[in-house]
Amino acid sequence: MKKLVIIPTYNEKENISAMIDKVFSLPEAFEMLVIDDGSPDGTAAIVRGRQEEFPGRVHLIERSGKLGLGTAYIAGFRWALAHGYDLVYEMDCDFSHNPDDLERLTAAVTGGADVAVGMSYYASKYVRIVTRMPVCDATAGFVCWSRRVLETIDLDAVRMVGYGFQVEMKYTAWKLGFRIDEVSIVFVDRTEGTSK
């Protein structure tokens, strides 16, 4: 199975290299696609340097300007589908999502789920009430998508570009009848860099 971790970045020079090291230290073979929105701090240059160290495993899309989280993930999903990945993950660069949990998300999807959501303890109940979606943390940004979900969702129809993107994607998957499982995780506040 080909597995791709998508990490959108903007000014993450303090975290990106450590994140690459951590993900690639895991027993499972993950690849990484960094989508950088023109970080003035040199994040993309660091990634280009790491590409030489991990040829074929670190990929980079450079965009000019901050174009939004949702558009970054949509670009990443399209890239993943075009390059034949089976499992595609969303993850923050700031270590608020523990890379060790990637394996738990993988186990949920290979165990029968179509989507696995890393659910933090402080989940958003408001979204659940409004959408009636049986997902405790619809705003979560630590997610594993099976290829067939991403192929089925009309990515051109996704409207949200900010954090609402997270809710829209999960809601769409649920309305299409896909199975969404949640994996309990601990969300940690970033220790390096500035929150976006």
Side-chain angles (χ1 to χ4, degrees):
M1 267 193 164
K2 287 182 70 178
K3 298 182 280 292
L4 182 70
V5 178
I6 300 173
I7 300 185
T9 57
Y10 184 77
N11 287 344
E12 290 290 354
K13 71 176 183 180
E14 295 92 352
N15 292 307
I16 190 59
S17 196
M19 179 58 73
I20 291 168
D21 288 338
K22 178 58 182 171
V23 170
F24 290 166
S25 75
L26 298 172
E28 291 192 45
F30 293 98
E31 291 182 33
M32 184 181 294
L33 172 62
V34 176
I35 302 175
D36 187 70
D37 273 3
S39 296
D41 73 347
T43 299
I46 294 169
V47 175
R48 285 193 299 274
R50 299 309 303 270
Q51 284 180 305
E52 295 173 15
E53 189 176 344
F54 296 104
R57 290 188 71 193
V58 177
H59 312 282
L60 175 65
I61 295 175
E62 293 184 70
R63 307 189 315 165
S64 57
K66 291 181 78 173
L67 302 176
L69 183 72
T71 66
Y73 277 124
I74 294 294
F77 293 159
R78 290 185 193 287
W79 193 93
L81 292 173
H83 290 85
Y85 291 91
D86 302 296
L87 298 179
V88 182
Y89 306 78
E90 296 178 35
M91 195 169 84
D92 292 346
C93 188
D94 63 5
F95 284 91
S96 57
H97 301 140
N98 184 344
D100 290 330
D101 289 328
L102 287 167
E103 294 177 319
R104 297 174 65 229
L105 294 175
T106 302
V109 173
T110 57
D114 297 301
V115 180
V117 178
M119 179 192 72
S120 72
Y121 179 76
Y122 298 102
S124 169
K125 302 237 186 271
Y126 173 76
V127 171
R128 188 173 184 185
I129 291 166
V130 170
T131 64
R132 301 190 193 312
M133 184 174 29
V135 175
C136 292
D137 193 358
T139 62
F142 195 20
V143 184
C144 176
W145 300 91
S146 68
R147 179 181 183 83
R148 75 184 185 112
V149 175
L150 295 179
E151 287 176 328
T152 304
I153 291 175
D154 180 359
L155 297 176
D156 290 328
V158 176
R159 299 181 194 274
M160 301 286 191
V161 296
Y163 285 97
F165 161 83
Q166 300 294 359
V167 176
E168 183 178 359
M169 284 292 292
K170 292 173 192 74
Y171 182 75
T172 303
W174 173 66
K175 290 298 278 185
L176 289 169
F178 288 108
R179 176 177 152 188
I180 302 175
D181 284 1
E182 294 181 286
V183 175
S184 183
I185 65 164
V186 175
F187 184 87
V188 180
D189 287 330
R190 72 163 54 238
T191 57
E192 299 291 335
T194 305
S195 184
K196 314 307 179 279

